[in-house]
Amino acid sequence: MSLSTLQSGMYGTVQALLKEMSGQSAPQTGVMRWSLHRNLEDNPSCSVSLIRALITELDKLIQIHETRSYTHTIPALHTLSYVVMQSGVMIPTSVYQKLYECLMKLLMFPSPYSSVALSTLRGIKMEMTTPGSSYLRRVTAEQNLMNERFTLQEKVFVLADPAVFSAPLEAAVRTHLEESSFFTDTMEKNVVLHVLQTGLGTSCQSSTLAQALKALGEQTTKTYFQEVVQAVEKSETQGAGGCADYLNRLQRIYKDILTASKEEQTELDQSSVFNTAMPYPEINFHLWRDKEDLWNLLANFAACCASKSNAFDEEQKDKRDSVRSVDGGIERELKESDLDDVAPPAPSNPAPTLTRRNAIKTTKAPQKLFFMRDKMDLHPESPNKDRRRHTARVVVLGDDRVLGRVTRAYHSIRERESKCHILTEKVNLRFYYIPVSDEELSLTPAEGPCQMESRLSLASLLGRVDPWYNSNINSLGAAISKLAGTQSVHKEPKKPSAFLLDTLCYYLRCGTRPLKLPLYSVKMTRSGCDVIKEMFVSHLEAVIPEFRPLIEKSSQKQGVRPRKTRAEVFGSVLSVSYTEIALSKRGVEKGNTPMTCGVVIASEPAAVTSSRGHLTVKFHSVNPENNKTIRTQEISIRATQSLTLSVCLDKDSRCTYGNIQRVEISPCLDPGCSIWSKSERELLFSNDVDKVLYLPVNTFSGVSP
């Protein structure tokens, strides 16, 4: 196939991909992107043609910049970044130059498009000077390939809501995700092969190199892997001036590998590019049954990272001591039989010996963190100079209810960390959300501010803010819900499709920009002055139980006004005080006493409003004349008669509280503000610092409050 024909075909594929994203009637979006990435894995040589096609599409977006049509910008940029990272061939300098100029022009776009373009530009600049570095960093972090240069570790936790996941669905999803653990032990070889053929291009005979790496032993392969890591690290430190030295060093490593391989190299197809598809990360699937599950998982992960780092540091220290030894290694050359005759030295301060039999000591996760911190403090000479945090990627599966549980767990973690920094100093927490529901409802964006009747209102909100999220992730929930049915139809075990796993990995790798959802505190007072403090992220419903049948009856007969027999039939009088949001963005204190059967409060983040985030409060009554909607950030509702309220948070029946006399709602403050320094507290009163606690859910575009 000629180059022009191939590039024309790739441009048609890009057009079909963007058209699929724009079409709301597609039965399952995201398949075109998945098919494109799969084809690139099978034929890496097509990546350059695809990059040229994406440059053409971005140039078109720049030309129509005045029409303010930015919908295709995010998909084109993320597809471009993923292709560059996955590409196993050398990308010509001329292509990089055109791409660099194009991305510079995209910086004039409004946020968040300019922010994503800037992030893409930084990655492209790094690949121009150090080809293969982004692939190396990603695989090293995901697979926890310990080395002296890159010591950060990552872990993926998938938490599913038992209210949505039945036993068959749980088994089906677990089977699909466990495919990530069946990867062969060739990760270091793939990294070496990918970096060398990306950096050396046609001077690297990929098939011959793959054959030579296969013949090498495991320890020899790790040695060359460490050399490649050092070459990448040195090149990134030197910047553009170190590109020539970097390529020369890769050439030396390439020749050394061919020389070290003792196996006779046969004649192979030298024009082919060896497939170095990025391996799946290890995924841990759990059902989220208890509030403390998230804390325990993160605590165990932090303790495991500390243990691995200390073990790796000790191993590296032993290697350096053996190299720096000036005694000729006489002691190390002694046989084990000779060492048995040597009595061990007596301790200078002998301690009493304690024995324990038939006992098992269990250590809780928070205690492990304290012990690991003390252990790390005992080794100040540790060669690990990287003090950045490890990354825990938490993927939650469910509807609005599971995000409500995440909200309460996240606030609990922040509250613990405000008293003593143990976890946040070691672990960088990232949240991802895949909506899955047992309801048969559409996820297409609604015309109203939110879908009150659906448990997928937050998924719809994320889809409106980020169409690329709506195309790839919102559509994934429907595919997950169907897994249990397809699993039961086939009696014989069928190999799971890679669509779910590939899409999840794509979300983890490219969904790096958080969309911050504000959290709201709820203070509920019962009749006996018992106070309950809770919080919610999307929805709160306060209903007078005695009038619930009237609400259900009125919902069935919309628009039909009932005959008035007595005043109480339309609801009860509630005392409401709130701060109304004015056009000047200043709060105006107001009060009201509406006659209503219930109140529905929904969060409207700043990402979907033209100004600040607020709460939309709707008072429902059997009489349509009493229905009222207000917008506020703080509100207090009190039952004035003998009746009480039943409050449900985030549409979760497990978070329902009865016999409530008073409900007070306000933005939830970050518990970490209480431990700020004096200078930080002074900034607290400026507009640059926000005290509100947000739940950061990673998307492809991301919008800050």
Side-chain angles (χ1 to χ4, degrees):
M1 185 181 297
S2 63
L3 181 61
S4 59
T5 305
L6 181 61
Q7 187 171 344
S8 177
M10 283 296 174
Y11 184 73
T13 304
V14 171
Q15 289 292 316
L17 174 65
L18 300 178
K19 184 178 180 180
E20 181 198 50
M21 186 203 69
S22 302
Q24 300 297 339
S25 60
Q28 184 178 351
T29 56
V31 177
M32 182 67 70
R33 179 209 54 80
W34 176 64
S35 302
L36 178 62
H37 291 167
R38 275 290 178 176
N39 292 334
L40 283 177
E41 290 180 4
D42 297 336
N43 190 8
S45 59
C46 296
S47 57
V48 178
S49 299
L50 180 57
I51 293 174
R52 288 193 174 100
L54 290 169
I55 293 175
T56 304
E57 181 62 30
L58 291 175
D59 284 334
K60 184 191 299 183
L61 293 174
I62 295 172
Q63 294 174 4
I64 62 174
H65 170 61
E66 296 180 356
T67 62
R68 300 183 181 276
S69 178
Y70 310 115
T71 307
H72 295 166
T73 306
I74 299 295
L77 288 175
H78 280 298
T79 304
L80 178 65
S81 300
Y82 206 73
V83 171
V84 172
M85 180 173 59
Q86 284 272 48
S87 174
V89 298
M90 173 183 282
I91 300 175
T93 306
S94 59
V95 176
Y96 270 138
Q97 290 296 336
K98 291 181 180 179
L99 183 56
Y100 184 83
E101 296 173 0
C102 182
L103 292 175
M104 288 294 293
K105 296 178 182 178
L106 289 175
L107 298 181
M108 70 178 70
F109 279 25
S111 182
Y113 310 102
S114 58
S115 301
V116 178
L118 180 60
S119 176
T120 307
L121 182 63
R122 290 171 178 168
I124 294 301
K125 288 184 64 177
M126 185 174 62
E127 282 294 317
M128 291 174 66
T129 58
T130 313
S133 56
S134 57
Y135 179 94
L136 181 141
R137 283 185 172 275
R138 172 52 54 191
V139 175
T140 301
E142 287 183 352
Q143 305 299 329
N144 296 325
L145 302 179
M146 298 296 293
N147 57 84
E148 294 184 13
R149 303 292 178 175
F150 306 133
T151 58
L152 298 182
Q153 303 176 47
E154 291 188 5
K155 199 79 169 180
V156 180
F157 302 99
V158 177
L159 303 181
D161 190 357
V164 176
F165 280 75
S166 60
L169 183 58
E170 175 199 353
V173 174
R174 189 184 297 273
T175 301
H176 280 70
L177 296 182
E178 283 179 352
E179 281 288 307
S180 61
S181 61
F182 294 107
F183 195 81
T184 56
D185 189 20
T186 58
M187 286 173 287
E188 287 94 346
K189 295 180 181 179
N190 274 7
V191 171
V192 173
L193 180 57
H194 182 95
V195 174
L196 290 180
Q197 69 182 10
T198 303
L200 300 180
T202 55
S203 61
C204 172
Q205 299 178 357
S206 301
S207 301
T208 303
L209 178 61
Q211 186 184 26
L213 286 171
K214 187 177 181 180
L216 295 178
E218 180 180 354
Q219 192 60 38
T220 307
T221 303
K222 290 185 177 181
T223 301
Y224 288 116
F225 169 75
Q226 296 293 342
E227 291 185 10
V228 171
V229 170
Q230 293 175 6
V232 170
E233 175 70 14
K234 185 177 180 181
S235 177
E236 291 181 351
T237 304
Q238 295 177 346
C243 182
D245 295 338
Y246 171 71
L247 297 180
N248 291 333
R249 192 167 184 179
L250 292 186
Q251 189 68 38
R252 289 196 298 269
I253 296 175
Y254 170 70
K255 292 181 179 179
D256 291 344
I257 293 176
L258 297 183
T259 304
S261 176
K262 298 179 181 179
E263 184 174 323
E264 183 179 357
Q265 298 166 4
T266 59
E267 290 293 333
L268 298 172
D269 184 11
Q270 306 298 340
S271 61
S272 62
V273 179
F274 195 81
N275 184 6
T276 57
M278 198 173 295
Y280 297 126
E282 181 183 354
I283 298 176
N284 301 268
F285 182 84
H286 305 274
L287 281 182
W288 195 348
R289 301 188 181 278
D290 189 76
K291 179 182 177 181
E292 297 296 320
D293 287 349
L294 180 59
W295 168 262
N296 293 331
L297 288 174
L298 297 177
N300 289 329
F301 171 59
C304 182
C305 288
S307 178
K308 286 184 179 180
S309 298
N310 288 332
F312 181 77
D313 292 343
E314 292 293 339
E315 180 183 354
Q316 298 301 316
K317 184 179 178 182
D318 292 341
K319 290 182 179 180
R320 283 191 297 271
D321 291 343
S322 63
V323 173
R324 297 174 182 174
S325 176
V326 295
D327 59 359
I330 299 175
E331 182 179 349
R332 299 181 186 275
E333 293 174 358
L334 293 176
K335 298 181 180 179
E336 293 182 2
S337 58
D338 299 332
L339 293 176
D340 293 338
D341 299 334
V342 181
S348 56
N349 295 321
T353 304
L354 298 179
T355 60
R356 182 190 295 263
R357 293 186 301 171
N358 300 330
I360 300 176
K361 183 179 179 181
T362 60
T363 305
K364 295 183 179 180
Q367 295 176 341
K368 290 181 181 179
L369 288 180
F370 281 108
F371 295 154
M372 282 300 169
R373 185 177 63 175
D374 296 339
K375 185 176 180 181
M376 293 177 70
D377 293 339
L378 293 175
H379 299 277
E381 73 283 356
S382 172
N384 180 13
K385 302 298 182 182
D386 197 343
R387 297 304 177 188
R388 293 175 296 173
R389 295 175 291 179
H390 306 285
T391 302
R393 305 189 184 276
V394 179
V395 185
V396 289
L397 304 181
D399 47 29
D400 290 349
R401 295 173 292 180
V402 75
L403 283 179
R405 303 187 74 184
V406 171
T407 296
R408 287 176 277 278
Y410 181 57
H411 182 270
S412 176
I413 292 175
R414 296 289 297 175
E415 197 171 23
R416 293 184 184 184
E417 290 298 303
S418 65
K419 301 174 183 177
C420 181
H421 275 216
I422 304 176
L423 188 62
T424 53
E425 288 185 351
K426 304 294 185 295
V427 178
N428 192 12
L429 186 57
R430 292 283 181 265
F431 286 111
Y432 301 81
Y433 172 51
I434 298 179
V436 183
S437 178
D438 49 3
E439 296 179 330
E440 295 293 334
L441 292 173
S442 174
L443 276 173
T444 56
E447 296 180 358
C450 64
Q451 295 176 331
M452 295 292 186
E453 71 280 356
S454 170
R455 292 200 187 107
L456 296 172
S457 59
L458 282 177
S460 178
L461 182 148
L462 295 175
R464 293 197 304 272
V465 175
D466 188 352
W468 194 233
Y469 177 91
N470 186 65
S471 176
N472 291 278
I473 308 304
N474 271 348
S475 61
L476 190 60
I480 293 176
S481 301
K482 297 177 182 178
L483 290 179
T486 57
Q487 192 82 2
S488 59
V489 171
H490 301 282
K491 297 181 180 180
E492 298 181 359
K494 184 180 179 181
K495 185 178 180 181
S497 172
F499 177 71
L500 171 59
L501 193 55
D502 286 344
T503 305
L504 175 59
C505 292
Y506 176 73
Y507 183 27
L508 294 172
R509 291 161 183 166
C510 293
T512 58
R513 311 193 65 81
L515 191 151
K516 298 183 179 180
L517 302 175
L519 308 185
Y520 289 90
S521 297
V522 183
K523 182 180 179 182
M524 296 171 284
T525 306
R526 284 199 167 108
S527 301
C529 298
D530 184 17
V531 177
I532 303 173
K533 293 184 178 180
E534 268 290 358
M535 63 194 57
F536 72 96
V537 65
S538 65
H539 188 272
L540 181 144
E541 183 178 3
V543 180
I544 301 174
E546 287 78 3
F547 293 100
R548 187 179 293 275
L550 292 177
I551 298 175
E552 296 175 354
K553 187 176 180 180
S554 64
S555 62
Q556 295 174 0
K557 299 181 179 180
Q558 301 248 346
V560 179
R561 182 173 178 176
R563 186 175 59 182
K564 182 176 181 180
T565 56
R566 61 173 184 262
E568 288 78 13
V569 78
F570 295 129
S572 176
V573 176
L574 300 179
S575 176
V576 179
S577 60
Y578 61 96
T579 304
E580 187 180 41
I581 300 178
L583 294 177
S584 60
K585 297 184 180 181
R586 294 182 179 180
V588 180
E589 295 288 341
K590 285 194 173 185
N592 200 353
T593 55
M595 180 173 290
T596 180
C597 299
V599 184
V600 176
I601 303 175
S603 172
E604 295 292 330
V608 294
T609 61
S610 57
S611 58
R612 295 185 302 173
H614 60 263
L615 295 171
T616 299
V617 185
K618 292 187 177 182
F619 297 93
H620 289 294
S621 175
V622 178
N623 185 1
E625 296 179 357
N626 293 336
N627 291 343
K628 186 178 180 181
T629 301
I630 62 176
R631 289 175 174 82
T632 181
Q633 285 188 318
E634 297 181 358
I635 189 171
S636 176
I637 303 172
R638 182 171 59 89
T640 58
Q641 300 175 359
S642 59
L643 302 177
T644 58
L645 299 170
S646 175
V647 180
C648 180
L649 304 177
D650 291 316
K651 308 170 188 175
D652 193 349
S653 59
R654 296 165 292 186
C655 296
T656 303
Y657 303 89
N659 196 26
I660 301 299
Q661 188 71 29
R662 186 187 184 96
V663 180
E664 300 173 67
I665 302 173
S666 61
C668 180
L669 301 183
D670 191 347
C673 296
S674 60
I675 61 170
W676 285 6
S677 62
K678 183 178 179 180
S679 59
E680 290 174 331
R681 289 175 182 172
E682 291 176 354
L683 289 174
L684 195 62
F685 298 97
S686 66
N687 295 328
D688 299 332
V689 179
D690 199 343
K691 299 183 294 182
V692 179
L693 180 63
Y694 295 90
L695 178 66
V697 178
N698 275 25
T699 60
F700 298 101
S701 62
V703 178
S704 298

